Amino acid sequence: MTRPGPAGAGTDAPGEGTGLPAGAEAIRIEGLRKSFGPNEVLKGVDLAVATHEVVCLIGASGSGKSTLLRCANLLESADGGTIWLWGSRITGPGIDQNLVRRHVGIVFQAFNLFPHMTVLRNITLAPTKVLRTSRAQAAEEARALLDRFGLLGKEDDYPDRLSGGQQQRVAIVRALAMRPQIMLLDEVTSALDPELVAEVLDVIRELAAGGMTMLIATHEMGFARDIARRVCFLEEGRIIEDAPPAELFASPKDERTQRFLRRIVDAGRL
C-alpha cells in the first residue's frame, strides 16, 4: 500500500480534503478478531464507516470498544479479519504502520502528554519529526489550532499547569496537528471531572460539524445520541446492534441492547 487514502490525503486541514464524496467508505472492517492470551476480545467484528460520518461505539467496559479502535490504528495487530482504509488493505504483511497513523489520529482516555514539554512542543513534535514540517510552520499551525479550541495563550505552559479538560483538548489538538483524515476517540471524557466534560465534547462537536470522519467509543449516551449518525452496541466482542441513534435508543431490537439501555436509564445517564 502506498497511501491509505486518495492522493494528497493528510496534507489538508483537519476534516477536509479527503477528495471523496460524503458516503464513500473511509473504513471497512470485516471479521476482525483479537485475543490476549486465552481472552478473545473481538470475535468477528464487521463495521463500515463512511467518509465524514460519525459513528459511536457504546457498551459496557470490556466489551471490546477500545481494542477495536486500537486495531483500526494498528496499535494492536489483528489475529484475524481485514481492515481497509479508502479501499486499501492495511492488515497483513508489508504495511507501513506509520503511514497509516499519519492519516488516522487517535486520542485516549489518558491524555498522554509529555510532562517535560510545553503545550506547543507537545503539539509540534510529531509534525516536525514525521511530516518534516519546519518548526516555524508547525508552531504557526499549532497556534491556529489552539486558538480554534480556546487554548491560545497556553502554548508555553506545561501540562501540569492545565486543567484536565484543557489537557484533553491539547491531546486532541496534538492529534489534529498531524492533519488526519480520520479520528478515533477512546473514552476521551472518562478521566475528567463532570464539569470539564462539556468543554471536550464541544471540541468533538466542532470536528463533526467540520466533516471529520470519526469513530468514537463513549459512555456519554446523550452525546452519542446527539452527534452520531450511527450507534453500535458492543457486547462480549461483537457488534450486537448498529442503527441510527433515534432508532437504537428509542426502540432497540435486540434484547441485549434493551437490557444495557435499561441499566443506563436506571443510572440516570440517558
Side-chain angles (χ1 to χ4, degrees), residues 201 205 219-227 249 269-270:
L201 296 184
R205 285 190 179 93
H219 288 303
E220 301 288 338
M221 297 298 134
F223 173 72
R225 181 178 55 195
D226 293 342
I227 196 173
F249 287 115
R269 291 166 51 202
L270 182 62

Side-chain angles (χ1 to χ4, degrees), residues 148-207:
R148 176 180 171 186
F149 296 119
L151 291 163
L152 193 62
K154 301 294 185 181
E155 55 264 41
D156 294 325
D157 288 352
Y158 287 87
D160 64 0
R161 298 289 304 274
L162 305 177
S163 69
Q166 289 171 333
Q167 289 186 59
Q168 191 61 287
R169 279 187 284 160
V170 170
I172 294 171
V173 166
R174 180 175 62 180
L176 291 174
M178 288 294 289
R179 308 170 200 152
Q181 299 300 320
I182 297 170
M183 285 285 283
L184 311 174
L185 304 173
D186 186 15
E187 304 286 7
V188 294
T189 61
S190 293
L192 300 178
D193 292 333
E195 64 269 21
L196 302 176
V197 169
E199 65 187 60
V200 174
L201 296 184
D202 285 344
V203 169
I204 301 171
R205 285 190 179 93
E206 181 175 335
L207 293 176

Side-chain angles (χ1 to χ4, degrees), residues 46-258:
D46 298 320
L47 177 65
V49 180
T51 301
H52 308 310
E53 187 176 32
V54 178
V55 175
C56 284
L57 308 175
I58 66 170
S61 297
S63 59
K65 303 186 302 296
S66 296
T67 301
L68 176 56
L69 295 183
R70 292 176 67 87
C71 286
N73 190 250
L74 304 187
L75 291 172
E76 298 287 354
S77 58
D79 296 327
T82 310
I83 303 173
W84 288 270
L85 295 184
W86 301 288
S88 295
R89 179 183 55 81
I90 64 166
T91 46
I95 301 300
D96 185 343
Q97 297 181 347
N98 290 326
L99 178 58
V100 171
R101 292 172 192 149
R102 282 174 56 176
H103 299 281
V104 185
I106 189 166
V107 182
F108 300 100
Q109 176 178 331
F111 317 129
N112 292 336
L113 300 176
F114 295 114
H116 62 292
M117 294 183 181
T118 65
V119 165
L120 188 64
R121 188 60 179 145
N122 264 284
I123 296 168
T124 60
L125 180 64
T128 56
K129 297 291 186 183
V130 178
L131 301 182
R132 303 299 181 187
T133 306
S134 70
R135 284 206 173 200
Q137 182 182 344
E140 180 181 352
E141 293 174 0
R143 289 190 176 95
L145 285 168
L146 289 168
D147 186 28
R148 176 180 171 186
F149 296 119
L151 291 163
L152 193 62
K154 301 294 185 181
E155 55 264 41
D156 294 325
D157 288 352
Y158 287 87
D160 64 0
R161 298 289 304 274
L162 305 177
S163 69
Q166 289 171 333
Q167 289 186 59
Q168 191 61 287
R169 279 187 284 160
V170 170
I172 294 171
V173 166
R174 180 175 62 180
L176 291 174
M178 288 294 289
R179 308 170 200 152
Q181 299 300 320
I182 297 170
M183 285 285 283
L184 311 174
L185 304 173
D186 186 15
E187 304 286 7
V188 294
T189 61
S190 293
L192 300 178
D193 292 333
E195 64 269 21
L196 302 176
V197 169
E199 65 187 60
V200 174
L201 296 184
D202 285 344
V203 169
I204 301 171
R205 285 190 179 93
E206 181 175 335
L207 293 176
M212 178 65 78
T213 305
M214 289 190 282
L215 186 58
I216 305 171
T218 183
H219 288 303
E220 301 288 338
M221 297 298 134
F223 173 72
R225 181 178 55 195
D226 293 342
I227 196 173
R229 186 177 298 174
R230 287 164 39 227
V231 176
C232 300
F233 168 63
L234 279 77
E235 185 175 89
E236 296 182 352
R238 294 185 175 90
I239 293 180
I240 304 301
E241 196 158 349
D242 178 346
E247 179 182 326
L248 187 136
F249 287 115
S251 54
K253 295 179 172 59
D254 193 279
E255 193 277 331
R256 291 165 291 184
T257 312
Q258 297 168 10

